[in-house]
Structure formats: structure tokens, C-alpha cells
Amino acid sequence: MKHRRRLTTPDVLRPQGRRRRPRRRVLRGAALWGCVLLLCTAGAGWYFYQDLAGRIGSSRALGDGAPRSSGGAVNILLMGLDSRRDRNGGDLPKDVLEKLHAGASSDIGGYNTNTLILLHVPGGGGRATAFSIPRDDLVDIPGHGKDKIKKAYGLAKAAAEGRLARQGVTDRDRLEREGREAGRRAEIETVRNFLGVPVDHFAEVSLVGFLHLADALDGVPVCLKHAVEDRYSGADFPAGRQTLDGPQSLAFVRQRHGLAAGDLDRTRRQQAFLASATHKLNSAGTFTDPLRLVRLMDAAKQDLVIDEGWDLLSFVKQAKNLSGGNVRFSTLPVEGFAKHQGEDVNRVDPDKIRRLVARQIGPAAGAAASPEASSGPGAGPVTPRSPAGTLSPAPSSSSSTAESGSGAQGSGQTAPMIDGGGIPCVD
């Protein structure tokens, strides 16, 4: 019995414990190095993000005294320039111009903001709303009078450059830089007055930005109700769901010829593209994959300009919450069509639009930029047939129709909101 007791004493078992310690040390060492590697990877990711974010263009066009939203809500103005130049005003490479299918010279296109979308993100969470502003809406442009809303940027840019030139400024970089800042200020102020809401942040992207975004995502899925072919934009797609590369994506968002609603169908194309892009961003895990995120940011630095002080990292985190159906896209209504200085324009009712926007985003959007947002001729509830309006034929063109409000003589066709939760089918 004593012999058996000795076999079970701690002295007999102790050597076996010593044999296990090297394995424990290896496991502890591996865990330690794993933590170090994780920290280094996170640190490297943060460094690359900071480097890329620092190279994205910034602007002071908003100004320190601009009206701001209250209650935690945020309004972001997305401006897409129909410019064949880079963000510094330089010529684009010839191979890029060929991919744009938008003319062989960087001088074509000017500085019209052919894409204008106000994204409202509610302060307490919940669904965001994106309002597309038709580019040919006839509105008041500060310091200029009435004209198409898309022209506010280019008109102010040209005026600022003219003033500087008369003062003897010949530095092309300074003329371009200060001219663009004047253009941004004018476009922001025009939109703010037109919609009656503050603009808290803005992002400006050039025409080639659509191409780079699609390439960074390895293509963007879209869905077409009908096959299309348009020699002006280069669009040549079959009906149904398909994935478009960079040049194809640009053709998709630029096409207006051959579409029943012309420019306003192009607006819906842009909405569908953004909805599909955010859908792919989320489904591909881009928001949680540092390498994919860095690649996307690398593409953004070529084409993007944002307001100074905007914490882009915070917005990228927030953008994940805006995917998966948490954004509704709608197009602001037009009342009809007219000629202004020889050009086709959309007639709009600013009072109705301000009330419509205020009703959809609520009081948390902040103080209106114009008192007419809540008062004025005909103030009171307006009940449009649908938030996106109805379709009405243009008297000046048999192939162009427009989404309009209840005040237009519409055909009764309803153009519903686009839900950002998937890949919407469009004309």
C-alpha cells in the first residue's frame, strides 16, 4: 500500500507537469505575437487611412457661419460635376477621356452640376432620405437671377475668375482654386435656399469619379427593364440584371437619349447606381475589410472634394448603417416645362418643394434657410400623388417627360421611390 501511495504523490507527478510547461509557453508566445501582429495591422491600416484621407481634396466653401441642422440630424449635399477635368482643373489623360465616351477634349462639359442629391440622415437613427434635384429646375441663383440650378457652380466660378483676372491675377492654379470655391459656395447656397434646409456637409465628385468607383468595386450590378442603345453616352446594354465595369457604369448614369422621361430617367439611373453601389459595398464586407476600404479610399482621393473638418472615418462607419435598405431615393417634383433664354427648363414651385422636404425629413432638420419654407402663397398641406411625383409629357419634346407634382397635368403614371435595399430595375 505504501508503494502505491508513493506512485500517486505529487513528487511522482511533478515531472509530467514540467513537461507541459514548454507547450504552455509556446501557446502564450503565439498569443502574444498574434496580439502584436493585430495591433501592427490595425496601426498600419489607420496610418494608410490617415494618409489617404489627407490626400482627399478639402474645401472651406460651407463657411463657419452657415446654418446647421439641429437634433443630431445631418444633411449632406452630393454634387456631381459634368467636367472632363480633374479636381485641380487639369486635363484628363486621353485614355481616360476615351473611357468616358464624353468627347475627345477636357474643354467639353464646363462646370455644370448635373447630379445634385441632398442626403438627409436623421439624428436618432432610422431611415435616411435622398432627394434628387433635377438639373434643369429654374430657380433663383444668388447674384445672378433665375437660371437652371445646375449652372450656379459654373456661373459663380466664371465670375470669380473674371474678377481676379481684372485684378491682375494670372496664376492658373489660383484662378482655378478660387473659382471652384466660389462655384461650390454658390451651388450650396442655391440648394439651401431652394429646399429651405441647412447643408451640413458636401461632397463633390467629377465625371470620372463614377468610373473609378465602379472599378474600385470590381463592377456595380444594375437592372434594366428594357434593352438600350445610345451612341451619345455609349450605353449598349441588354435587359435584365448585369454587372457594369467603370466605363459601362458611366454610360449607364449619363444616358438620357432614348429614355421615355429623358433627363429625369437619367436621375433615376443615378439613384439606382448609388443604391446598387451601397448594396455591393455592404454585401462585399467593404465596411469591415480594411484592404477593400483602403482601395476604395485610394480611388476617392483622385476625384473627391469634401468640406474641411468633415470626419470621413466617422461617416464611413455611419455609411454601413445607410446600406441594406436604410435609404429612400426620391426625385423632387416639377410643375411643367418652359423656355428660358432659349433653353428648355423645368418649372417648379419652390414653396411646395420646401413643404414637401420639411414634411419628409421632419423638424429635426434644423431651421429653414428661407422663411418661405413654412409660409408663403398657398401655404398649407400639399398631398402629391406620390413622393416621387407623376410623369407628364413635355410640350417641347415628344421623347421627354418629367416627374411632376400634383399641380402638373400628368399622365397618371406613378414613379415610386427607389428603395436602397437592393438592386432596383429602371428604364
Side-chain angles (χ1 to χ4, degrees), residues 35-225:
C35 291
V36 171
L37 181 62
L38 182 63
L39 288 172
C40 289
T41 303
W46 175 252
Y47 170 79
F48 283 121
Y49 167 79
Q50 290 291 87
D51 177 59
L52 289 171
R55 284 186 282 159
I56 289 176
S58 65
S59 165
R60 295 183 57 84
L62 271 180
D64 296 332
R68 300 288 176 173
S69 296
S70 60
V74 178
N75 292 331
I76 302 167
L77 179 61
L78 309 177
M79 300 190 296
L81 284 182
D82 190 35
S83 172
R84 279 67 163 171
R85 295 185 177 276
D86 63 23
R87 72 181 191 189
N88 298 313
D91 292 337
L92 294 174
K94 288 186 177 180
D95 62 321
V96 174
L97 283 172
E98 290 176 1
K99 290 180 180 179
L100 294 180
H101 203 90
S105 170
S106 290
D107 293 330
I108 300 173
Y111 287 88
N112 290 329
T113 50
N114 280 351
T115 302
L116 283 170
I117 299 176
L118 185 83
L119 175 66
H120 170 74
V121 184
R127 224 173 186 200
T129 303
F131 299 98
S132 288
I133 306 170
R135 64 176 187 164
D136 290 338
D137 283 2
L138 184 65
V139 302
D140 289 316
I141 297 177
H144 177 76
K146 285 191 175 294
D147 215 324
K148 295 181 180 182
I149 195 168
K150 70 178 182 180
K151 289 186 174 183
Y153 191 116
L155 289 169
K157 179 179 185 295
E161 290 175 351
R163 285 193 300 271
L164 289 170
R166 289 191 293 272
Q167 295 170 11
V169 177
T170 58
D171 185 337
R172 290 188 61 185
D173 289 341
R174 181 183 172 187
L175 289 171
E176 180 71 17
R177 183 176 62 254
E178 296 192 24
R180 285 204 173 194
E181 284 289 86
R184 291 164 188 144
R185 285 193 296 271
E187 195 68 61
I188 291 167
E189 185 178 0
T190 300
V191 171
R192 188 168 57 214
N193 292 343
F194 180 48
L195 302 188
V197 296
V199 174
D200 303 291
H201 296 295
F202 81 91
E204 171 191 304
V205 64
S206 62
L207 188 66
V208 74
F210 283 100
L211 184 149
H212 289 152
L213 173 60
D215 282 343
L217 293 174
D218 295 321
V220 174
V222 301
C223 180
L224 284 169
K225 296 177 182 177

Side-chain angles (χ1 to χ4, degrees), residues 48 70 82 143 150 161-162 168 218-219 233 240 264 269 279 282 298 315 320 366 381 383 390 403:
F48 283 121
S70 60
D82 190 35
K150 70 178 182 180
E161 290 175 351
D218 295 321
S233 65
L264 296 167
R269 291 278 191 93
H279 175 78
N282 192 43
D298 192 46
F315 180 70
K320 185 179 187 303
T383 306
T390 58
E403 295 177 14

Side-chain angles (χ1 to χ4, degrees), residues 46 49-50 293 310-318:
W46 175 252
Y49 167 79
Q50 290 291 87
L293 196 56
W310 189 6
D311 185 351
L312 205 57
L313 180 59
S314 294
F315 180 70
V316 167
K317 293 177 180 177
Q318 188 180 37

